[in-house]
Amino acid sequence: MLSNSQTIQSFHSINCNGQLIDLTKPKIMGILNLTPDSFSDGGKFNSEKSALEHTEKLLKDGAEFIDVGPQSTRPNAEFLSSEEEIKRLGNFISLIKKEFPQALISLDTFYSETVKFGFNEGIDIINDISGGQYDEKMFDTVAETKLPYILMHVNPSYESMHDKTKFEDITLEVNRYFSEKTDQLLRKGVTDVILDPGFGFGKTVEDQMKMINEVDFLRFGKFPLLIGISRKSFIYKPLGKSPLDINEETQKLHLKVLKQGAKILRVHDVAEAKKTLDTFLSGN
């Protein structure tokens, strides 16, 4: 018998530009970094040819969402203005839409002006790592677009984004933050909200493992949960490994969060995540 939380979430869907995406079956979001300085794949996909080839691979491997990022948010990354983000994005979004019309594109930005640009280019989801805290116009802009919005838990300023904070109870803190922010969004008419606990952003290894173990308590039923742990340091650093050498450990954690109700996995290695998702769906 399903628990209350499972019953509530079973038929949730998000509206991407009029296309209803059913999240009863979890989905995979593939990462397309257009940056020269991302921590594990910087500079690999910032030409039109390489970006389109990588998008094709992500889709073939099983991604239903493509998360396009014009700016790295790793520690000590180069800070870009919205104008610089837009310049870097160029016509990548429209090219992807033309080449792969079935692709659902998420735009990873904390700037409202970049969101407006992306909306005009055809994006389907807004992925804001700042929870509206780094641009006061973000929530109003999200409401204007009527697109789904990924709300991430993070420290309140760009400068403090990666400052390690030891919370008294990380699960309680994240839920308090989600409650406050979703109330603001709902008041503005934003109903398609996806929650991201913010793995890799200003949290200790211990708190992040606690979140992994308490994923089921991080969701409010009516909002789907996105988990982004791909190549994150809280996994590879304690093991003395590199970001590219933790696939087995990552997939074990992916399976664990799927069993607790995660609806979207944001990943670099789509093929491996798809195997994990298939294992979860088969009940093995």
Side-chain angles (χ1 to χ4, degrees):
M1 186 173 179
L2 293 175
S3 68
N4 279 345
S5 59
Q6 287 174 308
T7 305
I8 292 169
Q9 278 216 344
S10 291
F11 304 102
H12 189 91
S13 62
I14 54 174
N15 186 341
C16 295
N17 282 316
Q19 183 179 355
L20 287 179
I21 307 302
D22 181 15
L23 293 179
T24 304
K25 174 183 171 183
K27 303 288 189 282
I28 296 173
M29 175 178 284
I31 297 168
L32 175 62
N33 284 322
L34 304 179
T35 57
D37 59 341
S38 287
F39 68 93
S40 66
D41 59 4
K44 285 189 176 181
F45 313 118
N46 57 355
S47 72
E48 289 182 6
K49 182 174 183 292
S50 61
L52 288 173
E53 286 175 348
H54 191 56
T55 299
E56 182 177 27
K57 183 180 189 313
L58 293 172
L59 293 169
K60 281 185 175 178
D61 285 349
E64 298 195 43
F65 305 108
I66 304 296
D67 192 42
V68 179
Q71 174 162 194
S72 174
T73 51
R74 64 168 177 78
N76 304 312
E78 178 190 9
F79 175 78
L80 297 185
S81 66
S82 176
E83 291 76 16
E84 289 168 317
E85 278 193 346
I86 291 168
K87 184 178 179 182
R88 184 174 284 176
L89 284 166
N91 60 352
F92 278 113
I93 295 168
S94 56
L95 275 174
I96 293 169
K97 277 291 183 181
K98 182 179 179 182
E99 193 76 18
F100 310 104
Q102 81 279 20
L104 294 166
I105 297 180
S106 162
L107 178 57
D108 187 348
T109 183
F110 47 79
Y111 289 120
S112 59
E113 287 301 317
T114 305
V115 167
K116 290 176 184 177
F117 171 82
F119 178 67
N120 290 332
E121 291 287 296
I123 63 167
D124 302 283
I125 298 176
I126 298 157
N127 183 11
D128 172 19
I129 62 121
S130 80
Q133 298 176 109
Y134 304 170
D135 183 339
E136 63 182 14
K137 297 179 181 177
M138 178 60 85
F139 282 6
D140 287 331
T141 300
V142 173
E144 289 168 15
T145 67
K146 295 182 170 58
L147 292 177
Y149 176 74
I150 299 172
L151 168 68
M152 194 182 91
H153 176 274
V154 71
N155 289 333
S157 70
Y158 179 89
E159 292 73 22
S160 68
M161 184 195 308
H162 291 290
D163 290 352
K164 291 288 190 293
T165 305
K166 184 66 179 86
F167 297 100
E168 187 173 332
D169 186 325
I170 185 64
T171 303
L172 189 63
E173 160 59 28
V174 170
N175 278 338
R176 185 184 295 119
Y177 172 95
F178 282 157
S179 179
E180 176 189 326
K181 297 292 182 184
T182 53
D183 280 352
Q184 293 173 21
L185 288 160
L186 289 169
R187 284 198 297 271
K188 292 180 182 293
V190 180
T191 55
D192 283 328
V193 180
I194 299 159
L195 305 178
D196 177 353
F199 287 95
F201 288 86
K203 301 172 181 73
T204 64
V205 171
E206 293 76 18
D207 275 349
Q208 290 179 94
M209 292 310 301
K210 178 178 168 67
M211 288 201 302
I212 289 281
N213 291 324
E214 298 183 357
V215 158
D216 196 39
F217 301 107
L218 287 171
R219 54 202 178 100
F220 294 150
K222 56 186 175 180
F223 299 115
L225 194 69
L226 177 149
I227 298 294
I229 59 172
S230 180
R231 303 183 184 175
K232 292 293 173 75
S233 65
F234 83 97
I235 304 174
Y236 68 79
K237 280 188 177 179
L239 297 172
K241 295 187 175 184
S242 78
L244 302 178
D245 196 31
I246 53 167
N247 176 64
E248 184 179 345
E249 293 87 353
T250 302
Q251 298 317 320
K252 285 179 181 178
L253 296 180
H254 276 156
L255 188 57
K256 191 168 190 173
V257 299
L258 286 169
K259 287 178 178 178
Q260 294 182 78
K263 294 301 181 185
I264 301 174
L265 300 179
R266 181 183 180 272
V267 304
H268 296 85
D269 305 301
V270 171
E272 296 298 330
K274 181 66 164 57
K275 290 178 192 174
T276 302
L277 178 56
D278 289 344
T279 297
F280 167 73
L281 293 172
S282 71
N284 293 329

